[in-house]
Amino acid sequence: MFLKLLAAVCSLGVLPSAAQDTLSLTLRQADSLFLRQNLQALAGRFQIDAARAQVAQARLFDNPTVYLELNAFNPTAGQLFDVGPGGQKALSIQQTILLAGKRNKRVAVATQQARLTELQFSDLLRSLRFDLHSRFYSIYFTASSLRIYDQQRGRLTEIIAAFERQYGKNNVSLREIVRLKALLLQLTNDQLELRNLLIDQQRDLRVLLQTEAAVRPIVLDADIVRYSQSLPSLQEATALAFSNRPDLQGSDVAVRQADANLALQRALATPDVRLGGMFDQNASYTPNYIGLTASIDLPILNRNQGNIRSAQAQGQFLRLGQRNLQSVVENEIRASLEQIQQTEQAYRSIDPNFSGQYDELIQSVLRNFEKGNLSLVEFVDLFETYLDNTRQLNRLRADRVNAYEQLTYVIGTDIFR
């Protein structure tokens, strides 16, 4: 498995990190690996091949029917299988001639089904790619928070060790040590929560990429800056969705297929003609009889009424479903644009220098606390606030990216390239 993974990585130009069980990927590289490795994507292509094969099958003509009759026993001559001049054999052949354009209508139904299968596959890729991007960025920002937690845990552990040495000299109270250890316990629990979240996110991403390695997302500045573009209006976004969303296009194809099926069912009410010829050696009014045959079903009892009514009802059902889907898409776009506006407003309200300033502040807090310039209460309050703000800020960053990815998903095309 590792050799296959390594070959896939080399073909993508991806360099794994020092650990063999970690795979470093940019978003573009993750997209490429997804298309090459994802089993659902690979399986969907077989469905397309199957649907196209049905179109080829619909174009085929019906096979002719051959009938052969041989004399099993001639009682006059007392001979088994008497097929000679004094015996009997008969041969007939018939070919069904489809009327009312059934073959072309059958091909039209299969063609629409093949197109619908292709669009369903495209819609599957759209959903899976959205999941891929969401997991990718979630892992990146969760790992960013976890790195901060790991760093501060190391510093806090050093402080506790120093306080325990001072406690041995009776320079600090047991209450201070216990409070610091309680803070460490809280930090440990928060770390565990983040690690478990990261495990779940990694599990989903590995399934999407079909890899056993842990994925380390590489987020470039361009990946974030591209979301600074102006947003389309509701009308523009809706027009883009109607032009690009496979499920919307699929609903239109499904309606056309229903119309094609209705035309086919009406054509099936017209009976087909079977034409042929026959040869009879001795059982007819004259030896070596040669004749022509023609037959047709009489459309008296079965005129395909039920299938016609079913096709009509199915067409109405799909038309109403198409209208409902259009309404759903319009509201999805409206909600997505509003979500971006709200998230962007919250994100822009934060001073760009806030994160760096807070990092400098916590370093100063740690130094001053070690020197005794800060009380335990002040240190714990500032330390807890720093960790919580770090986590909240990364969550807001992840929510912002996810909001733009959601808009890409509901529109059906990436307008932030």
Side-chain angles (χ1 to χ4, degrees):
M1 178 64 191
F2 178 75
L3 293 177
K4 293 181 180 178
L5 177 62
L6 182 61
V9 169
C10 292
S11 66
L12 292 170
V14 180
L15 294 177
S17 64
Q20 289 185 348
D21 60 347
T22 302
L23 186 64
S24 299
L25 295 171
T26 65
L27 185 61
R28 184 184 296 274
Q29 291 166 341
D31 281 336
S32 298
L33 187 60
F34 161 75
L35 292 175
R36 293 165 58 92
Q37 298 284 94
N38 186 267
L39 294 181
Q40 285 183 276
L42 295 174
R45 294 186 175 91
F46 288 104
Q47 288 185 309
I48 293 176
D49 292 341
R52 290 174 177 171
Q54 289 300 314
V55 177
Q57 179 64 34
R59 290 195 173 99
L60 301 178
F61 291 95
D62 291 342
N63 291 319
T65 301
V66 176
Y67 170 79
L68 175 64
E69 178 184 317
L70 299 176
N71 184 194
F73 177 70
N74 186 340
T76 303
Q79 182 179 349
L80 291 172
F81 300 107
D82 186 6
V83 294
Q88 163 65 10
K89 54 181 176 288
L91 174 68
S92 69
I93 183 169
Q94 280 193 329
Q95 174 67 51
T96 300
I97 306 299
L98 300 180
L99 302 180
K102 292 187 184 70
R103 178 173 170 273
N104 289 337
K105 292 178 173 63
R106 189 171 60 193
V107 171
V109 172
T111 300
Q112 295 299 337
Q113 179 59 49
R115 176 58 178 157
L116 182 59
T117 302
E118 292 172 359
L119 291 170
Q120 289 171 343
F121 174 69
S122 298
D123 196 48
L124 172 65
L125 290 183
R126 179 177 71 100
S127 299
L128 292 176
R129 189 175 285 111
F130 172 68
D131 289 342
L132 171 65
H133 289 193
S134 297
R135 300 293 183 273
F136 184 88
Y137 283 113
S138 295
I139 289 174
Y140 174 78
F141 288 112
T142 300
S144 297
S145 296
L146 192 56
R147 281 194 297 272
I148 299 298
Y149 273 63
D150 290 341
Q151 292 170 3
Q152 299 311 317
R153 176 187 172 85
R155 294 298 304 273
L156 184 58
T157 302
E158 293 174 359
I159 291 174
I160 292 175
F163 264 63
E164 286 181 330
R165 288 193 295 271
Q166 292 300 317
Y167 175 72
K169 300 176 182 179
N170 295 321
N171 292 331
V172 296
S173 66
L174 179 62
R175 179 181 62 83
E176 292 177 302
I177 293 180
V178 171
R179 184 64 186 91
L180 287 174
K181 288 184 176 180
L183 179 60
L184 179 62
L185 176 61
Q186 178 183 342
L187 189 152
T188 301
N189 288 332
D190 291 341
Q191 277 183 301
L192 179 60
E193 182 181 346
L194 284 173
R195 290 186 188 282
N196 287 334
L197 176 61
L198 193 60
I199 288 172
D200 291 339
Q201 294 167 343
Q202 283 282 354
R203 175 201 62 203
D204 296 337
L205 188 58
R206 285 199 298 266
V207 171
L208 287 167
L209 297 179
Q210 284 298 303
T211 177
E212 296 179 359
V215 178
R216 185 176 74 86
I218 300 175
V219 177
L220 307 176
D221 291 339
D223 295 330
I224 304 300
V225 171
R226 68 194 183 103
Y227 295 120
S228 301
Q229 301 178 29
S230 59
L231 295 176
S233 65
L234 177 61
Q235 292 76 16
E236 292 171 339
T238 303
L240 284 171
F242 276 62
S243 300
N244 292 283
R245 276 190 59 155
D247 55 342
L248 277 173
Q249 297 173 355
S251 68
D252 184 57
V253 171
V255 169
R256 292 203 299 269
Q257 185 191 29
D259 292 339
N261 183 53
L262 176 59
L264 175 61
Q265 296 305 321
R266 285 173 172 164
L268 290 175
T270 301
D272 299 321
V273 173
R274 290 177 291 276
L275 300 177
M278 65 172 296
F279 166 80
D280 191 307
Q281 183 179 358
N282 282 317
S284 185
Y285 75 96
T286 182
N288 299 322
Y289 170 80
I290 298 176
L292 298 176
T293 63
S295 64
I296 188 171
D297 295 331
L298 296 179
I300 298 174
L301 303 177
N302 182 356
R303 297 188 299 277
N304 209 36
Q305 304 97 312
N307 286 333
I308 291 174
R309 285 197 297 269
S310 175
Q312 290 173 332
Q314 183 68 13
Q316 292 301 320
F317 169 78
L318 291 173
R319 282 181 170 81
L320 290 176
Q322 182 183 34
R323 288 170 55 187
N324 179 71
L325 180 59
Q326 291 171 351
S327 176
V328 168
V329 169
E330 290 173 0
N331 282 282
E332 284 179 349
I333 294 172
R334 181 180 289 106
S336 183
L337 289 172
E338 291 174 355
Q339 183 180 12
I340 287 179
Q341 292 169 356
Q342 294 296 324
T343 307
E344 194 67 43
Q345 183 178 355
Y347 180 76
R348 292 181 183 276
S349 67
I350 300 174
D351 187 341
N353 300 320
F354 172 76
S355 180
Q357 292 172 345
Y358 220 87
D359 288 339
E360 293 179 7
L361 174 62
I362 197 61
Q363 300 304 321
S364 175
V365 166
L366 290 167
R367 288 193 300 270
N368 281 283
F369 181 65
E370 290 171 343
K371 295 176 181 178
N373 297 331
L374 280 179
S375 68
L376 178 64
V377 173
E378 291 174 317
F379 170 74
V380 170
D381 179 65
L382 288 170
F383 194 83
E384 289 179 336
T385 303
Y386 169 73
L387 292 178
D388 184 62
N389 275 273
T390 296
R391 190 169 181 176
Q392 294 298 328
L393 182 58
N394 278 321
R395 181 179 298 173
L396 177 59
R397 289 167 175 165
D399 289 344
R400 175 177 178 265
V401 172
N402 190 67
Y404 283 98
E405 288 293 333
Q406 178 70 27
L407 180 62
T408 297
Y409 171 73
V410 298
I411 289 179
T413 185
D414 189 356
I415 60 174
F416 303 108
R417 294 177 181 174

